[in-house]
Amino acid sequence: MFKAISWITVAIGAVCTAMWAVTGFTGETGLDWLNGWMVGPILLVFVAPSLLGVSRMLGGFDIDGGMPEKFQNAPIGMGTVVSADRTGLSINDQPQLDILLDIDTPDGQSFRGMARQIIDLTELAAVVPGAMLPVRYIPGSSDGKVALATDASQAELQAAFNRVRLAKGEMTPRQLQIAEQGVVGRAVVLAMSPTGELRGANAVIDIKLRVSRPDSSTFEISQHKPIPSTVIPLVQPGMVVEVRYLPGDESEVSIVTPVSAS
């Protein structure tokens, strides 16, 4: 949108400049340069370069948070923030950041990418080294450019996250089946204790849950499983969590959290 406005400005400036040149030689004085068409040169010389410069800095993103056309419906991967630096541009006091990420894809690929994005001031705390952000990427692209998947639904993000974990060996095919096909329920955390073990970037915990079935009856289950460290504050004793389990098989449950599951 912003790039289109920039080029429309250039086009209007070009037309007005042409009219300015023509009428400048046909005025009563024979050299009537100071006429209404002088807006054309002003647009071309002063306004259009500024707009085009801002458009280049935006890196193809609309200032209203729109998704660049080439990334629309592109696959979603999960990116871990390496660094986030301000570009110097701000739109409505919202800073633009160059976000460097290590990206994992659902097909098991890994690469380093860069997202240039206008970030709301209230969301800056989420863009810090180590944070995980969903991104859209172009398979096979060599430029490393990605876009934050701000247009994706929660279901799309959850599915992409699960597939990335499966590709990295952090989720078994059975756990993926539970996450995708399981019955949704709620559970109370009865006990949780870290074991001190790490599996990749995940902490291994012992957790005991009391799960409510759809008919309001309950069952208890104890599990030994790795979870992302960001999930640990959400599974403290006494907290209620969303879970999934396969109908007729209550031997394993998946704990569901926003944009993550374990």
Side-chain angles (χ1 to χ4, degrees):
M1 178 180 175
F2 196 84
K3 184 178 289 186
I5 292 173
S6 302
W7 285 110
I8 290 171
T9 302
V10 171
I12 293 173
V15 172
C16 292
T17 299
M19 293 300 297
W20 173 71
V22 171
T23 58
F25 285 110
T26 57
E28 293 181 359
T29 63
L31 196 63
D32 189 13
W33 297 115
L34 299 176
N35 56 45
W37 295 109
M38 195 172 182
V39 67
I42 293 174
L43 286 174
L44 285 180
V45 174
F46 298 104
V47 179
S50 297
L51 289 176
L52 290 172
V54 171
S55 179
R56 285 192 295 270
M57 291 185 71
L58 284 170
F61 285 88
D62 290 336
I63 60 174
D64 59 2
M67 181 65 61
E69 183 177 355
K70 74 173 184 177
F71 288 110
Q72 291 177 5
N73 300 315
I76 297 175
M78 303 306 297
T80 301
V81 176
V82 176
S83 64
D85 301 308
R86 297 194 181 209
T87 66
L89 175 69
S90 294
I91 303 295
N92 295 329
D93 296 325
Q94 310 302 314
Q96 183 190 62
L97 302 183
D98 277 339
I99 307 170
L100 187 65
L101 307 110
D102 284 331
I103 298 163
D104 296 304
T105 69
D107 61 359
Q109 303 298 311
S110 298
F111 66 96
R112 180 157 287 190
M114 175 74 75
R116 174 166 286 189
Q117 189 86 11
I118 299 293
I119 301 294
D120 190 286
L121 288 172
T122 61
E123 298 176 350
L124 284 177
V127 189
V128 295
M132 183 174 290
L133 301 175
V135 300
R136 291 197 184 272
Y137 66 97
I138 307 300
S141 176
S142 60
D143 61 13
K145 292 183 180 178
V146 299
L148 299 189
T150 55
D151 63 326
S153 67
Q154 180 64 36
E156 288 181 286
L157 298 179
Q158 189 69 59
F161 183 76
N162 289 343
R163 296 286 173 173
V164 167
R165 292 191 65 198
L166 178 66
K168 295 176 67 176
E170 297 175 356
M171 175 180 278
T172 67
R174 174 178 168 77
Q175 290 170 333
L176 179 63
Q177 182 186 12
I178 294 172
E180 294 183 342
Q181 303 174 16
V183 174
V184 178
R186 297 174 69 79
V188 176
V189 180
L190 300 179
M192 190 282 293
S193 59
T195 65
E197 179 186 350
L198 288 175
R199 292 184 191 173
N202 295 325
V204 179
I205 64 169
D206 287 324
I207 189 167
K208 184 176 183 179
L209 303 167
R210 177 176 292 136
V211 182
S212 296
R213 301 185 182 94
D215 63 2
S216 297
S217 62
T218 63
F219 67 93
E220 294 184 5
I221 183 171
S222 296
Q223 297 187 122
H224 180 82
K225 61 167 44 184
I227 64 170
S229 59
T230 54
V231 175
I232 291 180
L234 306 178
V235 292
Q236 297 299 311
M239 301 194 76
V240 177
V241 295
E242 182 178 318
V243 298
R244 288 180 181 267
Y245 59 94
L246 293 177
D249 184 352
E250 300 173 348
S251 62
E252 185 172 2
V253 301
S254 172
I255 301 171
V256 181
T257 58
V259 198
S260 62
S262 61

